[in-house]
Amino acid sequence: MAQNDDRTPELPSSLDAPSVEGVMPGGGTVPFRLPAGALTYLDRNQYISNLEIVGFFPSVKVTIFGDEHSCLWAKGSRRLIAFKGGWVDVTKPTKAHVIAESDLATFQSCVYNARLKKWIRVVAHQMPLTPGTPQYPRGKYHDDYARAAIADPGFRGIKTYDVTNPEKPELLSAFETGPSGHGVHLPFYDGGQYAYLACGWDDQLRMESTERVYSNGLMIVDMSDPAKVKEVSRWWVPGQRRDEAEFYRATYPFAGDQCSWTGNRTPCIVPKRVEDGGTIGYGGWGHFGLYVHDLSDIRNPKVYGKVTHPLEAIGGIPYHHVVPVTADPLRHPRLQNLVIAIPESLEADCREPFHTSYVVDVKDPAKPRIIGLFPRPMPHPDAPYKDFAMARGRFSSRVMQHWIAPGQARPEIVALSYLNAGLRLFDISDPTEPKEVAYFVPPRDGDISDYMSWRRGTTEAVFIEWDRNLIWLSTHAGLYCLSAPILGPPVLEPMAVTGWSVPHVNAGWDG
């Protein structure tokens, strides 16, 4: 086989092949046709159940909080949430405001390093993405679109900052992960010795999805000195590299579909640090599945086991975000050894199959198994559509509340940001049957004539302050602060953090 047959920038030539319509003109590969009955406008109404709005800050255009695992800086009663562009000061929940910074990319970690006695911020940098647009509906499979992303990739890697004084961040290092790869999409760093990067180090990691020219594997780096980051090891799924094409095509049913996500999106989330005796990490690898990584030899990572749903559909990112459940064994015996696995859609208007979130039992690391499926959210009875597939924009979960947050987490509560379906709260007291208990769908923003202004939906990320019973919801229209009866009365005054949802993280933050 000629090498060019297996290199992504050459694949757009397939667009020139004659189409075969079958029984329905306009059918074919993802993106599918617009669903019949889709709205011709954006619904400006809001819908709420079992939640209350504490405050709305339209000037705070926060889309994503940190890296979805650790984002809160705290000192005394002061609290800052890290986001692209700086910080949101939430010390006074009714007066949230932005502290701007420059050179900060979307995904990042912000944690306290107890050994250095410093707050460290790890910021990810990657090459431009290639989402489908009206001009390029097949994303990177349009040759000129792919080549534009490759031609001006920008810095690819991580930058580390000392943010002990958040108003005066100090750049410690700029660690490049590879001159020809995708760069770092997402870091996981908990303040310990190692950071785990969803990272593309060269152009040989395969990506079927239209949204990325290249794919990501897992890179582990030593953060003993954040000013001198060092690579420790790297791992990829067998068949993921281009020189493993024969194995890839013989092994994976989605091989060649040009829409499935074939790479690492969530790097290892490591509940117990390796330097403290931990050996397990959980990673989201899209259509490859949820992997339980064996970190017993940090320089030679392996895999204990993996899981995918047997009826997993093409398109989207089935294992976009994975979060281990932290629960007291005496109070919550049924919530032990669980991971929540969360998908994300990529095509607006349900132009790809719907994916749902899973509860995964990881008691046996070699045999993780799906034991619960989250129900499909349904619209409020007063909404002008009967399914969110008709509401315009992307319809799926995206991320769960942050794993590291102030206060003791309620492990039975799962809050999912749901793009065009807003915020959805679920109760997993019975992990085999998650139940929706609350929701908030904010008014839609954007202009229906400007596709890129509404394609993502409205809701992006969710962060819960467990000690103040507050829910922070980022949307493209602004920042919401919410409360929920299921959490208890909100605390609306400044309050010092006295503990964290993951006790070994941020130890010593209070000086």
Side-chain angles (χ1 to χ4, degrees):
M1 178 176 296
Q3 185 179 19
N4 282 349
D5 289 344
D6 208 39
R7 293 180 65 84
T8 298
E10 303 302 324
L11 287 174
S13 61
S14 63
L15 292 174
D16 300 327
S19 62
V20 178
E21 298 289 359
V23 298
M24 183 177 67
T29 58
V30 171
F32 300 145
R33 298 176 65 184
L34 179 70
L39 295 185
T40 58
Y41 60 93
L42 299 172
D43 185 8
R44 308 300 189 186
N45 297 309
Q46 72 178 30
Y47 307 96
I48 193 165
S49 175
N50 293 328
L51 288 163
E52 296 181 359
I53 299 174
V54 173
F56 174 54
F57 309 93
S59 63
V60 182
K61 303 293 187 182
V62 177
T63 53
I64 297 172
F65 300 139
D67 74 343
E68 302 142 20
H69 298 103
S70 54
C71 74
L72 188 75
W73 180 100
K75 184 176 182 180
S77 63
R78 193 182 188 199
R79 303 185 184 203
L80 307 178
I81 295 177
F83 82 106
K84 179 181 180 180
W87 309 89
V88 181
D89 190 323
V90 297
T91 306
K92 297 180 179 180
T94 57
K95 296 182 179 180
H97 61 277
V98 168
I99 301 173
E101 288 183 26
S102 62
D103 196 34
L104 292 180
T106 301
F107 295 104
Q108 49 199 275
S109 296
C110 179
V111 291
Y112 188 79
N113 185 305
R115 184 179 63 82
L116 299 177
K117 296 181 171 55
K118 295 179 178 180
W119 283 92
I120 302 296
R121 196 165 180 171
V122 180
V123 181
H125 294 264
Q126 60 186 340
M127 68 184 296
L129 311 183
T130 53
T133 69
Q135 183 181 3
Y136 302 113
R138 298 273 290 121
K140 63 104 172 279
Y141 290 103
H142 297 272
D143 190 57
D144 52 342
Y145 197 18
R147 292 190 186 281
I150 296 169
D152 187 19
F155 174 75
R156 286 161 290 180
I158 59 171
K159 294 182 180 180
T160 60
Y161 296 82
D162 177 352
V163 291
T164 307
N165 181 346
E167 276 83 8
K168 296 182 178 181
E170 178 186 350
L171 177 65
L172 300 176
S173 71
F175 174 76
E176 188 179 53
T177 52
S180 63
H182 177 78
V184 178
H185 182 62
L186 185 67
F188 172 74
Y189 177 58
D190 67 358
Q193 183 175 353
Y194 301 105
Y196 305 83
L197 313 178
C199 167
W201 47 82
D202 64 27
D203 61 2
Q204 296 303 299
L205 290 170
R206 180 192 314 276
M207 174 57 77
E208 295 279 359
S209 173
T210 64
E211 291 243 342
R212 303 286 192 278
V213 177
Y214 306 125
S215 183
N216 289 334
L218 170 66
M219 179 181 286
I220 302 173
V221 296
D222 191 323
M223 293 281 291
S224 298
D225 182 353
K228 298 178 181 179
V229 180
K230 299 177 181 179
E231 180 181 343
V232 174
S233 55
R234 57 182 70 174
W235 186 88
W236 62 92
V237 173
Q240 190 180 355
R241 291 190 64 81
R242 297 187 185 282
D243 59 4
E244 301 167 337
E246 184 175 349
F247 179 87
Y248 175 73
R249 289 170 178 160
T251 305
Y252 302 109
F254 45 79
D257 72 7
Q258 298 189 5
C259 65
S260 292
W261 187 276
T262 53
N264 185 206
R265 195 277 167 190
T266 305
C268 269
I269 309 306
V270 184
K272 183 177 182 181
R273 291 172 178 163
V274 169
E275 60 267 35
D276 295 333
T279 64
I280 290 177
Y282 303 105
W285 288 79
H287 279 79
F288 289 126
L290 184 152
Y291 278 75
V292 183
H293 292 277
D294 176 0
L295 305 175
S296 54
D297 179 358
I298 196 67
R299 298 191 177 278
N300 185 28
K302 298 183 178 65
V303 171
Y304 283 118
K306 59 167 285 189
V307 66
T308 60
H309 194 280
L311 300 180
E312 198 66 76
I314 64 172
I317 313 176
Y319 299 86
H320 168 272
H321 187 49
V322 301
V323 182
V325 175
T326 303
D328 181 89
L330 296 179
R331 296 180 60 193
H332 299 281
R334 299 192 67 184
L335 301 183
Q336 304 303 302
N337 302 303
L338 299 180
V339 172
I340 308 301
I342 302 158
E344 181 184 40
S345 68
L346 293 175
E347 297 289 345
D349 303 329
C350 285
R351 294 176 185 254
E352 64 190 9
F354 178 79
H355 299 261
T356 193
S357 297
Y358 306 120
V359 181
V360 182
D361 185 325
V362 292
K363 183 177 182 180
D364 182 350
K367 297 180 180 179
R369 58 194 183 95
I370 295 170
I371 62 170
L373 277 65
F374 283 71
R376 181 184 181 108
M378 299 304 294
H380 188 279
D382 294 340
Y385 43 86
K386 298 303 180 185
D387 189 277
F388 285 104
M390 285 55 169
R392 309 313 301 263
R394 296 198 293 172
F395 171 40
S396 80
S397 55
R398 186 181 178 278
V399 295
M400 180 175 158
Q401 76 265 14
H402 284 55
W403 185 54
I404 302 167
Q408 185 173 3
R410 292 273 299 277
E412 77 278 17
I413 300 299
V414 173
L416 296 180
S417 64
Y418 237 93
L419 298 170
N420 75 352
L423 170 70
R424 322 299 291 204
L425 262 61
F426 299 89
D427 187 331
I428 62 164
S429 297
D430 178 354
T432 66
E433 193 175 357
K435 291 182 169 58
E436 186 176 87
V437 294
Y439 61 78
F440 170 58
V441 182
R444 292 297 301 276
D445 65 317
D447 180 345
I448 193 66
S449 63
D450 179 5
Y451 173 75
M452 298 305 287
S453 75
W454 55 263
R455 64 172 287 268
R456 290 186 66 92
T458 296
T459 307
E460 288 285 353
V462 55
F463 180 81
I464 297 180
E465 294 184 66
W466 299 105
D467 56 352
R468 295 202 295 184
N469 299 326
L470 296 175
I471 303 171
W472 294 94
L473 184 68
S474 68
T475 79
H476 295 275
L479 179 68
Y480 286 89
C481 182
L482 305 167
S483 66
I486 196 171
L487 296 183
V491 177
L492 302 181
E493 299 299 324
M495 174 179 167
V497 177
T498 59
W500 298 84
S501 56
V502 182
H504 70 273
V505 178
N506 290 344
W509 83 97
D510 56 355

